[in-house]
Amino acid sequence: MLLAIDAGNTNVVFALVRDGNIIARWRIATDPRRTADEYAVWLSQLLQLEGHDRRAVTGVIIATVVPRALHNLQTLARKYFDSEPLIAGQPPVEWGIEIDVKEPNSLGADRAVNTIAAHALYPGDLIVIDFGTATTFEVVDYTGAYKGGIICPGINLSLDALVTAAAKLPRIAIEAPTDTSVIGRDTMSQMHIGIYWGYIGMLEGLVARIKAEVGRPVKVIATGGLATLFEKQTTVFDAIEPDLTIQGLAMLWDRAHIAP
């Protein structure tokens, strides 16, 4: 059984993968100061609650965009799972795809892993949209090459900036609206419209521009915890894959362990 760890800017996701299937997943707030022992206490309790034996984990793979978090996650794997973890993007789990941009080494691990997984799951040209701390767009051509993308403020980050900068605006919950009106009748509804429908307008507009630039049929794959927030109010997505990063990590692990 594989323990796949995706350390993002907001959360660290831990998932158990058996025979390519995700059988459990948990998340905890990202804190680079959190020690391997703290991770172990938290994770051991969750494993036990869901009936999994820690000793059944035979391998660990990590992707991180938070370099300071890596050491403690590596220590967790070595000390508590008796496993030397593989690090996505480092030998023997290099990306194995063409990264056709000006600064290939600057591509975040999560974005590369999403590119690999999306290409394996869907043929043809792709746009992969990941809703996280930032909302990222990855443009993947039919060969699986990463051609570039877009980085936008995540929807929660946008709301935080608005509320922080405007003293009289209240904090609101981000949720799908009950109707399609874009004329708010009070402050909260106007904020809700601005954040939610404004974000959908951004998504649809950027996807349309990317498709026009690519000039070929393109599928749009969404991932990340907030992807389902938008699916009922837009037709921009062709598919939603909530666990795309974990799927990509499992693929990288399998690739590294296939006998030559």
Side-chain angles (χ1 to χ4, degrees):
M1 188 160 60
L2 174 66
L3 176 63
I5 305 174
D6 171 28
N9 288 300
T10 302
N11 292 308
V12 183
V13 178
F14 295 79
L16 294 179
V17 184
R18 180 188 291 133
D19 298 327
N21 298 311
I22 300 169
I23 60 174
R25 67 183 65 72
W26 308 279
R27 63 181 61 229
I28 190 170
T30 301
D31 182 352
R33 300 168 299 175
R34 185 172 284 114
T35 67
D37 300 328
E38 289 174 307
Y39 279 123
V41 170
W42 172 81
L43 190 55
S44 295
Q45 291 177 329
L46 290 170
L47 286 163
Q48 185 176 5
L49 281 171
E50 298 199 22
H52 301 292
D53 187 345
R54 175 167 55 88
R55 294 168 297 181
V57 173
T58 56
V60 179
I61 186 168
I62 303 169
T64 182
V65 295
V66 185
R68 288 177 56 211
L70 181 57
H71 172 72
N72 287 326
L73 291 170
Q74 288 176 301
T75 303
L76 170 72
R78 293 165 182 153
K79 183 176 180 180
Y80 291 99
F81 292 96
D82 193 27
S83 176
E84 182 61 35
L86 298 185
I87 311 302
Q90 300 180 14
V93 282
E94 296 94 337
W95 302 133
I97 59 173
E98 181 185 2
I99 301 177
D100 185 15
V101 293
K102 291 181 179 179
E103 299 176 345
N105 292 333
S106 69
L107 182 63
D110 52 346
R111 303 178 74 186
V113 172
N114 285 345
T115 295
I116 292 164
H119 176 68
L121 294 171
Y122 297 93
D125 292 272
L126 304 171
I127 300 169
V128 183
I129 307 176
D130 188 355
F131 295 89
T133 306
T135 296
T136 57
F137 295 67
E138 323 304 345
V139 179
V140 186
D141 78 4
Y142 58 91
T143 70
Y146 174 81
K147 306 298 288 187
I150 303 169
I151 302 173
C152 304
I155 190 167
N156 282 309
L157 200 60
S158 299
L159 179 59
D160 287 344
L162 178 63
V163 172
T164 300
K168 293 186 68 175
L169 293 183
R171 181 164 295 280
I172 61 172
I174 299 174
E175 55 189 5
T178 56
D179 60 57
T180 58
S181 173
V182 292
I183 301 175
R185 302 286 288 172
D186 55 56
T187 298
M188 291 185 66
S189 66
Q190 290 172 18
M191 289 177 66
H192 194 194
I193 289 165
I195 289 292
Y196 187 88
W197 289 110
Y199 220 77
I200 284 185
M202 179 196 74
L203 294 172
E204 294 175 341
L206 288 177
V207 166
R209 285 177 173 270
I210 293 172
K211 287 184 174 182
E213 192 167 333
V214 171
R216 296 185 297 269
V218 179
K219 292 188 179 73
V220 179
I221 314 302
T223 190
L226 292 174
T228 56
L229 180 64
F230 303 103
E231 64 176 327
K232 292 184 179 179
Q233 302 292 353
T234 181
T235 58
V236 74
F237 307 138
D238 293 293
I240 295 179
E241 295 285 350
D243 297 306
L244 194 63
T245 310
I246 296 299
Q247 290 172 288
L249 285 173
M251 292 174 189
L252 283 173
W253 173 271
D254 289 342
R255 184 190 299 170
H257 290 82
I258 294 174

